[in-house]
Amino acid sequence: IEYRDKNYKDVKHKLKEYGFKNVKTVDLDDAGLKIWKNEKVESVLVDNVELEDNEEDYSKIEQVIIYYH
């Protein structure tokens, strides 16, 4: 799944479509500066490891966290 610079809501929806159940989001807030708020994904962690585009088995995933600006 491509996620960098995508809207975090779209990425969360796509991950849920793929069957991930425990998907959380974290707003990096950028020091509260409204001009930086673009809701774009910075990174996605799967059980504390950054999600990569490969053939790994994600069937036993505990948690997915989406970090966005």
Side-chain angles (χ1 to χ4, degrees):
I1 177 175
E2 287 189 35
Y3 62 85
R4 290 197 191 280
D5 294 325
K6 305 284 186 203
N7 182 282
Y8 80 94
K9 294 173 190 169
D10 296 336
V11 173
K12 182 175 182 177
H13 179 75
K14 184 63 80 177
L15 287 168
K16 288 191 173 247
E17 281 183 349
Y18 285 145
F20 292 100
K21 303 218 181 305
N22 190 8
V23 180
K24 299 182 184 218
T25 57
V26 175
D27 184 353
L28 295 174
D29 193 25
D30 292 321
L33 299 174
K34 187 74 172 162
I35 60 172
W36 295 111
K37 298 292 275 182
N38 60 17
E39 298 185 337
K40 301 293 182 189
V41 173
E42 174 72 23
S43 62
V44 175
L45 298 185
V46 177
D47 285 343
N48 293 316
V49 177
E50 188 159 3
L51 179 68
E52 297 184 20
D53 294 329
N54 55 29
E55 297 295 322
E56 286 192 41
D57 178 16
Y58 291 116
S59 62
K60 296 181 175 137
I61 296 304
E62 294 287 324
Q63 182 177 50
V64 177
I65 303 174
I66 302 170
Y67 292 91
Y68 68 96
H69 292 277

